[in-house]
Amino acid sequence: MRKALIVWGGWLGHEPQQVADIFAEVLKQENFEVEISDTLQAFADAEKLKGLDLIIPLWTMGKIEQELVNNVSAAVQSGVGLAGCHGGMCDAFRENVDWQFMTGGNWVAHPGNDGVEYVVNIKQSSSPLVDGMQDFTVKTEQYYLHVDPAVEVLATTRFPLVDGPHVLNKAVDMPVAWTKRWGVGRVYYNSLGHVANIIAMSEVKEMMRRGFLWAAEGKELAARAGASAEAAYTGMADNQL
């Protein structure tokens, strides 16, 4: 049975415990053994993390010890999947650039705050993760992110929609969902999920379900191919060099 770890906490306005419960139910329906933790010390056992198939962080803002980031990074580099949503993954640990490098982006703004109505445009691509999915409308926070150019974009949203200092720039299609590789591990991110009822939307839940399965499959596929990746990148911050 595949194993998943969900770690929730940080800013509680994102309803991380409720979102964790939704994610756990999705994973159990896919025959995962699911562990849920509300402490970052769940990342302290490096060897245990490498024994997982999937790690799901739900921890907006907050601070994290560098060693814990290194442990997660090493696990993902070895093939463990990493998947998450909204601020719980890409507005986590703002001071830690190694986390941002691994996850593929970081939140910088949500013009108009909560309640902006916008379209999520599904980007048909080489990825099966969006096969058969159609564009849909949400009313929630619209995330403006700084994004790693190495990601494969699965869905976008158009900016600007509301007033702000960004409106005189040209229109941009901001990534909503993406994948990337970290070592031989697979990383999936979706910017939707401000609160639990957004995650519970059928379209969003299906995107997350597919993302979880895709990320978790990477470990077995890498093993079959004989691929491995030792954690050569230590994640040392500048002041540790």
Side-chain angles (χ1 to χ4, degrees), residues 176-192:
V176 169
W178 66 70
T179 60
K180 68 173 289 185
R181 301 301 200 277
W182 192 248
V184 297
R186 293 176 168 187
V187 178
Y188 174 84
Y189 175 71
N190 192 318
S191 71
L192 297 166

Side-chain angles (χ1 to χ4, degrees), residues 4-238:
L5 171 65
I6 302 173
V7 179
W8 70 267
W11 185 63
L12 297 181
H14 280 161
E15 301 181 351
Q17 184 174 14
Q18 296 93 318
V19 173
D21 289 341
I22 294 172
F23 286 169
E25 184 59 31
V26 169
L27 291 168
K28 288 174 183 176
Q29 290 176 1
E30 298 292 339
N31 297 314
F32 279 78
E33 177 184 325
V34 181
E35 177 184 350
I36 301 177
S37 176
D38 63 356
T39 172
L40 292 176
Q41 289 305 306
F43 297 147
D45 188 336
E47 292 308 309
K48 179 181 177 181
L49 293 182
K50 289 181 180 179
L52 300 172
D53 297 281
L54 182 64
I55 298 170
I56 301 174
L58 288 169
W59 201 288
T60 303
M61 297 184 284
K63 295 180 182 293
I64 189 170
E65 298 172 20
Q66 185 65 42
E67 180 182 0
L68 302 182
V69 175
N70 293 349
N71 289 347
V72 175
S73 177
V76 178
Q77 289 182 63
S78 75
V80 179
L82 181 70
C85 70
H86 202 63
M89 183 158 139
C90 284
D91 188 23
F93 322 128
R94 293 178 180 176
E95 297 176 2
N96 196 289
V97 294
D98 297 319
W99 184 269
Q100 295 165 13
F101 190 16
M102 175 173 61
T103 57
N106 60 290
W107 169 88
V108 293
H110 40 58
N113 300 314
D114 195 13
V116 176
E117 186 170 276
Y118 61 95
V119 176
V120 175
N121 300 113
I122 302 298
K123 184 177 175 62
Q124 302 303 325
S125 68
S126 61
S127 174
L129 284 172
V130 291
D131 282 354
M133 297 200 73
Q134 303 297 319
D135 298 350
F136 61 95
T137 300
V138 294
K139 191 172 184 179
T140 184
E141 289 183 342
Q142 187 184 32
Y143 260 22
Y144 203 105
L145 298 130
H146 286 173
V147 180
D148 184 343
V151 305
E152 179 174 1
V153 178
L154 305 177
T156 62
T157 184
R158 176 61 60 93
F159 278 88
L161 288 183
V162 299
D163 197 19
H166 62 304
V167 299
L168 294 182
N169 296 309
K170 65 180 181 180
V172 295
D173 291 319
M174 180 62 57
V176 169
W178 66 70
T179 60
K180 68 173 289 185
R181 301 301 200 277
W182 192 248
V184 297
R186 293 176 168 187
V187 178
Y188 174 84
Y189 175 71
N190 192 318
S191 71
L192 297 166
H194 175 57
V195 287
N197 65 4
I198 299 298
I199 288 294
M201 291 176 60
S202 59
E203 299 94 339
V204 181
K205 187 186 288 189
E206 177 62 13
M207 291 178 79
M208 296 306 305
R209 184 189 72 85
R210 294 185 187 192
F212 293 155
L213 294 177
W214 177 85
E217 287 169 355
K219 184 177 184 180
E220 182 179 354
L221 293 175
R224 283 184 199 169
S228 64
E230 295 301 322
Y233 175 68
T234 63
M236 299 293 282
D238 287 345

